Structure formats: structure tokens, C-alpha cells
Amino acid sequence: MKICVAAMLVSCVWAAWPNVSLAQTAPRVENAALFVAEHLDVLSIPSSIYTRRRPGANTLKDYGFVQFEKADGGVRSVDQEKQRLFGIRIVEDNGGIKVLCIQDEALNEGSFISQNTVEVKLGRDGLFHGTGRVSQSDQCPPYQH
């Protein structure tokens, strides 16, 4: 009887083991926007950064956006030169495919402000790449100036 209970306990622990290790490596829900921001290929989505592209530079960090703060249910960052603000909020999360609300704004004397919804997919290189599909969302009304 004791052996049967012990075997059942061991099998329960063994069955739960993969879930424990996956939970430790997956980003927390509240950090999902930060995870996407740090792994976003900004050259694969519509943004003002594309006009300043450089070989080998693909992420926001490569373009001077190194510190993020939580804002409006997502994250945002100001580049090191304090010229641009870039914000990311997840509107829809389907695992490896996400719909993002992207805010792109000039902070210098320019008047460029853009907010768009874009779909991204996690690539084999560990970066989220734009799929080219753009959906409308009440959670991210488009505007441009």
C-alpha cells in the first residue's frame, strides 16, 4: 500500500516537472510587452526608424532605445538623444503571433506622431518580425500627424 502511494506521488511530481521548467523560462504576462520591445525587428514594421536604418541594426536597442518604462498597459522608451519616443502595447496575444499597438513620436521640434496596429511573429532568430498584416483595433486607434 505504501509503495503504491509513493509511486503515485513520484509520478505526479514527474508529470508536473516539464510545466515547472517551462514556467521559469517563459516571460511573465506583465513583462510580455517589454519582452517584445527588446526583441522587435523595428525594420520589419512601419516606423520612422526605417529611414535611419544601418547594417546589422534591427532592434530598438540598436537605435538608442535602451531603457523602458511601463506606460498605458505596455512599455515605452525615449532614445538616448531624447529625439524620439517609441511605445509598444500588446493588443492581442496568440503566443508566437501578436498584434501590437505601436506609438512612434518625434520629441524634438518635429510634429511627427504615429500610432498603428501591426501584427508580428516570433522568428527562428528570436526576433519578432512584422507579418505585413495590419488589423484595426478599437484599443489602438490609428493617428498620424
Side-chain angles (χ1 to χ4, degrees):
M1 177 95 165
K2 289 182 184 179
I3 294 175
C4 186
V5 172
M8 213 164 60
L9 180 61
V10 168
S11 67
C12 287
V13 170
W14 187 257
W17 184 263
N19 295 334
V20 170
S21 63
L22 286 175
Q24 291 172 347
T25 60
R28 294 175 148 178
V29 172
E30 62 268 13
N31 292 328
L34 177 61
F35 183 78
V36 171
E38 290 175 339
H39 297 89
L40 178 64
D41 177 0
V42 292
L43 300 181
S44 69
I45 62 170
S47 78
S48 63
I49 294 172
Y50 190 79
T51 60
R52 300 179 285 145
R53 66 188 178 276
R54 299 185 314 265
N58 291 75
T59 65
L60 288 168
K61 184 177 180 180
D62 295 334
Y63 289 94
F65 297 90
V66 293
Q67 293 186 353
F68 291 88
E69 63 181 24
K70 291 182 181 181
D72 302 323
V75 296
R76 69 177 171 204
S77 180
V78 174
D79 67 348
Q80 292 174 323
E81 297 170 359
K82 300 195 183 325
Q83 300 289 314
R84 304 210 67 77
L85 177 136
F86 206 88
I88 296 173
R89 189 166 33 91
I90 299 173
V91 175
E92 188 177 319
D93 191 342
N94 297 313
I97 297 177
K98 299 180 184 335
V99 176
L100 307 177
C101 182
I102 303 290
Q103 181 184 6
D104 187 0
E105 181 177 345
L107 298 176
N108 54 8
E109 294 181 29
S111 62
F112 177 80
I113 299 173
S114 175
Q115 180 169 288
N116 295 303
T117 306
V118 298
E119 182 184 82
V120 295
K121 182 177 181 179
L122 184 60
R124 291 181 186 207
D125 60 358
L127 297 178
F128 287 92
H129 301 277
T131 63
R133 290 188 288 265
V134 179
S135 60
Q136 297 296 322
S137 171
D138 293 340
Q139 298 175 37
C140 185
Y143 66 85
Q144 291 184 337
H145 291 215

